[in-house]
Amino acid sequence: MIRVLIAGLGNMGLSHALAHHNHAGAQIVGLVNRSGEVSHPDLQGYPVFTDFHAALGQTNPDLAVIATYSDSHADYACAAMEAGAHVFVEKPLATAVADARRVVTKAKETDRKLVVGYILRHHPSWMRLIDEARGLGGPYVFRLNLNQQSDGPTWETHKALMQTTSPIVDCGVHYVDVMCQITDALPVRVHGMGLRLSDEIAADMYNYGQFQVIFADGSVGWYEAGWGPMMSETAFFVKDIVSPNGAVSITEGNKGASDDVDGHTKVGGILVHRPSGDQLIEMEGEPGHQQLCDAEQAYMLRAIAEDIDLTRHMSDAVQSLRICLAADESIRTGAPVDLKET
């Protein structure tokens, strides 16, 4: 039985906690929440802490699941590994490339497993999308976005996230990870631009951004993300990969509201276009958000039990973060970032 400590009980942390609550191979030994309260009926009775470090010392977990705000990820992950725990950390791995590399180095030094919460890696439809795109061959054009017309509680959540992380970094790491899996080439240069569209966020933060990335194999990518009640829901969910031999696209996607978390992973149908004709692949019975979190945590537990080599996973996590942070830097400075020199 693997002893699990979960830090953060927001949207993702709650789902991860429920995944371990329902997994026969896991035993929750503590929940960390700033309020010290847990409202979900299924999670009553577990020890609750308000301080992560105190919880580490008192529970002695085999696995720490970190789903707190992004600026705490690196320090919490390193502290957990130093205490002997394996780590699952929500994306982004850190808010600086140096911190991300520090976490990876710590995992290697302590021989602990480190998994980053790239939920699309556990989605059969997205895995099929990546396989189909790779089958066409590159170089590629990536056209990806996720704009969210958020209001009410969702807008409050987005404003809280933007105290530390922009939409480009928070959401972008998922889709840049998809780009990197398909092209398997190193990034060369990033150009970004963005705009602050609300007085409700800090003067040095932006809630709309987009960037272009160039890869060493000649592939080029575009990604766009925006949060807030002012965002348009026209073409808010674009997922296209184009190659010299055709294209792969999500045709159905999210039919609900743009800020519906269950819809962000939905594919529905994959259209594979070749000059010789089109093929529509229907993706039925797709997993929902909780099922995907269940799959992520089941993989984490298997990685520990079966000693799965996570070297490539950790490298990919740093690479996608590196691109998104370079885009953030480009947006803030107004200048392109040369990744060959970093």
Side-chain angles (χ1 to χ4, degrees):
M1 188 73 70
I2 293 177
R3 296 164 51 84
V4 186
L5 173 69
I6 294 122
L9 292 177
N11 179 55
M12 297 305 298
L14 178 60
S15 293
H16 295 320
L18 291 172
H20 286 293
H21 172 76
N22 292 309
H23 196 290
Q27 176 190 357
I28 295 177
V29 294
L31 303 170
V32 182
N33 195 15
R34 289 185 300 177
S35 69
E37 298 177 358
V38 177
S39 59
H40 198 284
D42 290 354
L43 299 179
Q44 302 304 307
Y46 291 120
V48 181
F49 301 85
T50 57
D51 182 85
F52 177 70
H53 300 284
L56 268 180
Q58 293 181 45
T59 62
N60 190 31
D62 303 309
L63 167 64
V65 175
I66 299 167
T68 50
Y69 284 120
S70 303
D71 58 345
S72 64
H73 286 182
D75 287 344
Y76 281 12
C78 288
M81 289 185 282
E82 287 172 353
H86 303 281
V87 168
F88 176 96
V89 59
E90 257 307 327
K91 56 77 189 169
L93 174 57
T95 55
V97 174
D99 283 335
R101 288 174 172 154
R102 173 165 62 95
V103 176
V104 170
T105 298
K106 182 63 66 175
K108 293 175 180 177
E109 287 176 349
T110 57
D111 194 27
R112 299 293 85 186
K113 300 300 181 186
L114 172 66
V115 172
V116 183
Y118 285 157
I119 201 166
L120 299 182
R121 285 183 169 236
H122 303 273
H123 196 305
S125 299
W126 281 87
M127 289 188 278
R128 179 66 181 272
L129 180 86
I130 290 167
D131 286 343
E132 293 291 341
R134 287 182 64 87
L136 288 175
Y140 300 94
V141 175
F142 301 106
R143 302 174 62 244
L144 307 173
N145 79 349
L146 181 59
N147 293 316
Q148 299 180 57
Q149 191 182 89
S150 57
D151 56 16
T154 309
W155 176 227
E156 293 302 318
T157 297
H158 282 158
K159 285 188 291 184
L161 287 170
M162 284 186 285
Q163 292 177 23
T164 59
T165 311
S166 70
I168 280 293
V169 177
D170 183 83
C171 295
V173 288
H174 283 305
Y175 301 105
V176 171
D177 182 54
V178 170
M179 294 183 193
C180 292
Q181 288 182 74
I182 293 171
T183 181
D184 207 25
L186 293 174
V188 174
R189 190 167 64 255
V190 175
H191 304 251
M193 60 183 180
L195 195 62
R196 177 175 177 260
L197 294 169
S198 173
D199 292 335
E200 297 180 57
I201 62 176
D204 62 348
M205 180 55 73
Y206 56 93
N207 63 309
Y208 171 82
Q210 64 167 264
F211 66 85
Q212 299 80 42
V213 56
I214 299 171
F215 292 92
D217 68 343
S219 295
V220 296
W222 157 82
Y223 179 73
E224 171 191 64
W227 291 342
M230 75 295 293
M231 291 305 302
S232 168
E233 285 196 328
T234 301
F236 67 83
F237 195 81
V238 176
K239 303 291 184 290
D240 275 336
I241 300 105
V242 184
S243 91
N245 301 307
V248 181
S249 311
I250 291 178
T251 60
E252 298 298 326
N254 183 344
K255 293 294 190 181
S258 59
D259 66 348
D260 172 23
V261 68
D262 261 318
H264 295 166
T265 58
K266 229 180 239 186
V267 169
I270 298 173
L271 179 65
V272 181
H273 163 72
R274 295 180 177 86
S276 59
D278 292 352
Q279 175 191 10
L280 179 62
I281 304 169
E282 298 286 356
M283 305 302 299
E284 299 179 356
E286 291 186 288
H289 177 75
Q290 184 58 54
Q291 289 172 291
L292 289 169
C293 289
D294 293 347
E296 280 191 295
Q297 295 309 320
Y299 177 76
M300 179 77 246
L301 295 172
R302 286 200 312 275
I304 297 170
E306 300 172 15
D307 192 23
I308 295 173
D309 185 354
L310 298 173
T311 303
R312 175 63 188 267
H313 173 84
M314 292 188 291
S315 174
D316 287 350
V318 173
Q319 192 69 278
S320 58
L321 178 63
R322 182 170 169 249
I323 293 171
C324 290
L325 289 175
D328 184 75
E329 179 185 344
S330 180
I331 290 169
R332 294 177 185 278
T333 63
V337 176
D338 188 346
L339 288 174
K340 291 183 293 186
E341 298 178 356
T342 61

